[in-house]
Every structure is written in C-alpha cells, then in structure tokens.
Amino acid sequence: MENFELIVSLASAVLGLLVTTATFLAKFIKNAKLKKVAQSTIEICNALIPFIEQAESFANYSGAEKKEFVITKANQYAVEHNIKFNEELVSNEIEELVKLSKDVNRREKDKKKIFTIPAK
C-alpha cells in the first residue's frame, strides 16, 4: 500500500511538471513565431520607403499605378529575403507612409487653412 501511495504521489508530481513544461514550451514557441512575424513586418516596411520614393519619380502614372509598383517591389523583396508577404498589410502601410509624407510636405498656407478655427 505504501508503494502505491508513493507511486501515485510521484506520478502526480511528474504529471504536474509535464503540464507546466508543455505550457511553457507552447507559449515560448508561439512568442518566437510572433517575434519572427513582427521582425519580418518591420523589415518589409523599412524596405517600402525607397520603393515609394522611386514610384514618386514617375511623372505620368496614377497613384494606383504607383501603389501597384510599390506592392510588386515589396513582394519581390519578400521573395528574395524569404519573408512571408501580406499584401493587405503592405497596402495599408503604403497608404500610411504616403499620407504622412503629404502631411509633412504640405505648404504652410495650406496648413493654416486646416488649423484655423472659423469666427462666429
């Protein structure tokens, strides 16, 4: 009977340790995957800026054509660097960067129109 109690006690301790280890490993692996995805996203987003600058030099193209050029170049970059490509994420990032660029480069008189409060 003593052996049975000892075996049950030892088995419960080992089972608890196994569950704890499995939980830790699952979270560690998940965090490692998320870290890799985040690093890949940052790398692609950093590569977008030169592509956007290049597209902005095209005088006779529409904004949609320029955006498509940048998406294509970003996709090529992702393939060359073995990075998973998310077109929707890249498209949103391009729009944000272009919007930021337009806001920063807006002329002073245009800025005054936006930030003035009309008199009553």
Side-chain angles (χ1 to χ4, degrees):
M1 197 58 146
E2 285 181 24
N3 287 340
F4 179 72
E5 290 175 2
L6 181 61
I7 292 171
V8 169
S9 175
L10 188 59
S12 65
V14 169
L15 182 64
L17 184 61
L18 284 174
V19 168
T20 303
T21 303
T23 303
F24 171 77
L25 287 175
K27 287 186 178 187
F28 179 76
I29 291 169
K30 183 178 179 183
N31 286 339
K33 287 180 182 177
L34 290 176
K35 181 179 177 183
K36 184 177 179 181
V37 168
Q39 288 173 335
S40 298
T41 302
I42 290 169
E43 188 175 345
I44 288 178
C45 289
N46 287 337
L48 286 177
I49 295 170
F51 300 147
I52 292 172
E53 289 174 355
Q54 187 179 3
E56 287 300 318
S57 69
F58 302 152
N60 298 323
Y61 292 91
S62 70
E65 291 170 325
K66 292 177 184 179
K67 183 177 178 183
E68 193 60 39
F69 170 81
V70 174
I71 290 173
T72 302
K73 292 294 258 183
N75 191 5
Q76 289 172 349
Y77 180 88
V79 169
E80 290 171 4
H81 291 86
N82 198 22
I83 299 172
K84 186 176 178 182
F85 184 75
N86 182 339
E87 187 173 344
E88 183 179 342
L89 177 77
V90 170
S91 177
N92 291 339
E93 188 64 27
I94 291 168
E95 289 176 13
E96 287 296 318
L97 288 170
V98 169
K99 182 180 179 287
L100 175 65
S101 175
K102 286 181 179 179
D103 288 345
V104 168
N105 294 324
R106 185 174 295 136
R107 296 182 313 180
E108 280 301 315
K109 83 175 192 183
D110 292 337
K111 287 180 183 178
K112 289 178 184 175
K113 288 180 185 177
I114 292 173
F115 296 113
T116 57
I117 299 172
K120 290 186 178 183

